[in-house]
Amino acid sequence: MKWDGRTVHPETGKLIRLMHLQDERSSYMLRDEGNRVVLTAHDDTVLAETERIHGGNWVVKLPGEPSREHSRKDDAIDDILGNVALNPMNSAWPGRRPGSAPPGGERGSTLVAHAQALTLQVLAREPARADHSAGVAARALALTPTVPATERDTLVAAAWLHDIGYAAELRQSGFHPLDGAHYLRAHGWPARLCDLVAHHSGARFVAAVTGLGDQLIQFGFVEDAVSDALTAADQTTGPHGEALSLDQRLREKNDRHGSDSPTAHAHSQRVPYLRAAAGRVEHRLGLE
């Protein structure tokens, strides 16, 4: 078995291993949460699960079938994967172009699920970037009370997607906010998401010093609760998904990128914006 992605449990903060699966009829997600492994369909329907019970055995549960036990976790997972094709809940899922946006009728948590899946797919060869994205998404989820209810899933989806432009196959300009936004637009993702990715964390200030400002303004910038929360989530999450203060994050980025980097050259214009956005988020949380 090859696990091809990772995320963070939104409640426990523990790392979850992910495996993306597909057959001629559908796509699936296998989530290893430690003492529980769950197989879900594309619409988050639980198809099968196994859980560690007292004594160390693993009990497998398939809808409509008696539960059964295995002494080894891998055997329980093999049982799940071997039986899912026979499960009556395994309905067909029409294929889509890789990377394409969810169909227009899919909203809410489905948007987040597709954003997560795309991020883990394109950043599969850059696990640190994937870990950072998972951490930003977890932080964004915690900040959803600061944004309108209708935009909470947009915030978390943008948090997952904000760094996909680092993937080698998406690279065009070499400026990851712009490259990620171009990819999303080309694949039919909502304009609001494309704009948030393009302008996350004060990208316009870095674009100005790299000569890419004219290209970035193809995407709309709105300074609002969602853009503030996305910036705050990104700027309080370290390169491996760890929680940092804003000051720690700024020092870490300066050390990593160097004093002659575009990030450093944009520092004096960008940092006041980052601090202001973080301050507005704290105000909305009632922390100041």
Side-chain angles (χ1 to χ4, degrees):
M1 290 180 294
K2 183 178 180 181
W3 300 91
D4 55 9
R6 287 171 286 184
T7 187
V8 176
H9 195 288
E11 296 178 0
T12 66
K14 292 183 178 180
L15 191 67
I16 297 173
R17 295 191 300 172
L18 303 172
M19 185 188 299
H20 299 81
L21 305 163
Q22 186 163 354
D23 61 19
E24 68 277 6
R25 296 185 301 169
S26 191
S27 294
Y28 317 94
M29 176 79 75
L30 191 67
R31 297 167 54 90
D32 182 358
E33 301 175 358
N35 287 328
R36 181 172 178 259
V37 181
V38 183
L39 182 69
T40 58
H42 71 281
D43 59 357
D44 295 331
T45 299
V46 175
L47 300 175
E49 62 181 299
T50 182
E51 190 170 8
R52 190 176 185 181
I53 59 175
H54 182 71
N57 281 355
W58 291 81
V59 60
V60 171
K61 302 174 184 177
L62 290 163
E65 295 187 21
S67 60
R68 46 187 178 264
E69 293 185 19
H70 295 274
S71 60
R72 297 176 63 249
K73 184 177 186 178
D74 285 350
D75 291 339
I77 294 175
D78 287 343
D79 190 355
I80 287 176
L81 298 180
N83 281 276
V84 68
L86 304 176
N87 194 303
M89 295 179 67
N90 180 7
S91 58
W93 185 34
R96 297 201 307 276
R97 185 162 51 110
S100 62
E106 295 185 308
R107 298 182 180 178
S109 60
T110 304
L111 177 67
V112 174
H114 281 285
Q116 176 183 346
L118 175 59
T119 298
L120 296 175
Q121 174 191 335
V122 301
L123 294 179
R125 296 182 180 179
E126 300 192 46
R129 299 281 186 202
D131 288 346
H132 169 72
S133 297
V136 174
R139 179 61 178 150
L141 185 64
L143 296 179
T144 52
T146 69
V147 307
T150 55
E151 294 219 88
R152 290 175 179 175
D153 291 303
T154 296
L155 168 61
V156 180
W160 271 110
L161 295 166
H162 77 286
D163 272 357
I164 63 168
Y166 277 116
E169 61 267 33
L170 274 60
R171 191 168 299 156
Q172 297 180 27
S173 68
F175 186 45
H176 78 274
L178 184 60
D179 292 343
H182 274 308
Y183 178 86
L184 294 172
R185 175 185 281 177
H187 287 76
W189 288 75
R192 172 69 158 153
L193 268 177
C194 299
D195 294 345
L196 286 166
V197 169
H199 287 280
H200 76 269
S201 294
R204 65 191 186 280
F205 299 106
V206 182
V209 301
T210 57
L212 293 170
D214 288 344
Q215 294 186 44
L216 194 66
I217 61 173
Q218 298 173 28
F219 297 91
F221 171 70
V222 177
E223 186 175 284
D224 61 8
V226 179
S227 65
D228 283 350
L230 178 59
T231 291
D234 186 25
Q235 297 304 311
T236 55
T237 303
H240 300 284
E242 69 275 26
L244 297 177
S245 69
L246 176 57
D247 286 335
Q248 289 173 326
R249 175 73 160 142
L250 292 174
R251 287 195 298 270
E252 177 275 320
K253 292 185 75 172
N254 184 66
D255 291 343
R256 181 158 46 91
H257 292 292
S259 59
D260 197 35
S261 66
T263 298
H265 290 308
H267 184 87
S268 61
Q269 292 79 35
R270 182 169 174 252
V271 169
Y273 165 75
L274 299 180
R275 292 194 184 281
R280 289 190 293 267
V281 171
E282 289 187 355
H283 177 73
R284 294 181 185 114
L285 286 171
L287 298 179
E288 64 169 27

